[in-house]
Amino acid sequence: MTFPTEAPDPYTILRGWLSGIYLRPDGQEVRGRAWDDDTRYRYGLLLAGIDAPPGWHQDWFTHIGHLVWHFTPSHIQHWATRLTNLDGSPMAAASRGRAVSAVRSFYAHCTEDLGAAHWYLPPRRALAGPTPPAERESLTRFQTDALRTAADRYRGPHAERARLAVYMTLAGLRPGQSIAVILQHIHRDNAAGPTWRLPAKNNSASAVTRPQPVPRPVVWALDDYLPVRTHKAPHSTGTTGPLLLSRTGRALDRVTFPRLLRGVAATHPDLEDIAPTLLPDVVAHSPSPFADETSTDTRRRPTGQGNE
């Protein structure tokens, strides 16, 4: 520590920090961060046991005691492994990570705002242990079948575009990929059937994958949409530009795409409960109703005869 006087009281520093008004060592008053109630409660509880129920003594200051200014990273690691919830059950990995973040944030405040010595703390992951990835949300096969049916029956604005967008998502394309598909990357002049070059996931639209077969149901939806595609120069033409277009001839944006998907889902009674919050990524990560339809046979099927 580089405070000019004896070691300060960590509880006083914490209260000032969380109140948003604190004094620097030179006596200057500083108006700092405005904390929300949840963060103020959580940091107060984890760091100092503020508002803790009787019998809960898992806070950092109690654990570290007189070593509060002279600890090592191993002390934080040991504390994190012993943390429990208020009911005494072991704390989950994600919650341990947030607890370690509270400690790291407190000492960052002491260093940056109060001029204390620098604590070289490892990243949160190293102190709290790895946090398992959250379970990926997905729809059931029943729900994706229902969404396919909803797309086939949809009679709202730009129905052919909506059906194609839903089909592309059901085929596993992320929304950014669907939006970035351009007509020039769709090829029909091959014996094996239509293929397209899709934008690589989590990359720029210019980074495309090798030609991949277009699922047969998507070909049918594509052929229904192309004659009514709203191309307008200079943004698009009948043979160039983005595939999925707005009425202005520009590509659909990332706000319109989920709205379109939700509008289709809302028309099916088995999806109306989840439709308001349905995300394209969730659909793309779900079991595809086209999984058993890998053939690229492009013989026409009457429009509207989906998986009903």
Side-chain angles (χ1 to χ4, degrees):
M1 297 288 292
T2 57
F3 286 101
T5 59
E6 63 183 26
D9 176 19
Y11 293 89
T12 301
I13 293 178
L14 176 64
R15 285 193 294 270
W17 182 46
L18 295 182
S19 72
I21 303 175
Y22 55 87
L23 294 177
R24 292 181 57 85
D26 60 7
Q28 178 184 358
E29 183 179 271
V30 177
R31 293 188 175 272
R33 178 174 178 173
W35 300 88
D36 61 83
D37 291 340
D38 178 70
T39 303
R40 203 160 41 234
Y41 165 75
R42 182 161 44 88
Y43 275 33
L45 175 69
L46 292 169
L47 288 166
I50 299 173
D51 294 329
W56 191 87
H57 302 292
Q58 300 291 324
D59 62 279
W60 169 247
F61 291 165
T62 297
H63 172 82
I64 198 63
H66 68 280
L67 296 177
V68 64
W69 305 123
H70 305 284
F71 64 93
T72 65
S74 63
H75 288 106
I76 301 179
Q77 291 174 317
H78 179 66
W79 172 70
T81 61
R82 295 165 56 90
L83 281 171
T84 65
N85 298 309
L86 297 180
D87 62 2
S89 60
M91 189 172 283
S95 298
R96 288 200 308 271
R98 289 190 288 268
V100 167
S101 289
V103 173
R104 296 181 82 255
S105 296
F106 173 74
Y107 287 106
H109 162 69
C110 293
T111 298
E112 298 165 6
D113 299 336
L114 303 183
H118 195 287
W119 287 272
Y120 295 96
L121 298 179
R124 184 180 85 169
R125 179 184 178 88
L127 294 171
T131 300
E135 184 176 352
R136 176 172 285 176
E137 184 180 358
S138 64
L139 304 182
T140 65
R141 180 61 187 265
F142 173 83
Q143 289 173 314
T144 55
D145 283 343
L147 184 57
R148 178 181 183 175
T149 299
D152 288 337
R153 294 174 173 174
Y154 184 67
R155 297 296 180 266
H158 307 285
E160 295 84 2
R161 184 191 65 182
R163 179 170 175 245
L164 176 58
V166 172
Y167 267 42
M168 292 170 73
T169 310
L170 286 169
L173 271 65
R174 302 280 292 276
Q177 290 181 293
S178 296
I179 290 170
V181 170
I182 61 175
L183 280 185
Q184 299 93 302
H185 284 163
I186 301 175
H187 306 287
R188 294 176 181 266
D189 54 346
N190 57 77
T195 61
W196 51 11
R197 291 180 178 271
L198 300 174
K201 293 181 181 179
N202 302 320
N203 213 321
S204 65
S206 60
V208 295
T209 60
R210 293 178 296 177
Q212 301 179 31
V214 184
R216 182 175 60 181
V218 178
V219 175
W220 295 330
L222 177 66
D223 287 343
D224 286 337
Y225 166 68
L226 288 178
V228 297
R229 178 172 167 268
T230 55
H231 59 84
K232 291 183 181 180
H235 312 298
S236 54
T237 71
T239 56
T240 63
L243 173 62
L244 298 174
L245 298 177
S246 67
R247 60 181 178 81
T248 65
R250 298 175 183 269
L252 288 185
D253 57 56
R254 291 178 180 268
V255 174
T256 303
F257 195 93
R259 287 178 180 170
L260 182 155
L261 185 74
R262 291 167 185 168
V264 173
T267 64
H268 197 290
D270 292 326
L271 301 175
E272 56 186 1
D273 289 343
I274 66 171
T277 58
L278 184 61
L279 296 174
D281 279 338
V282 172
V283 177
H285 291 147
S286 302
S288 174
F290 308 146
D292 301 325
E293 302 178 45
T294 56
S295 169
T296 54
D297 178 6
T298 58
R299 289 175 295 178
R300 291 290 294 156
R301 178 195 60 182
T303 301
Q305 293 184 7
N307 194 22
E308 302 182 27

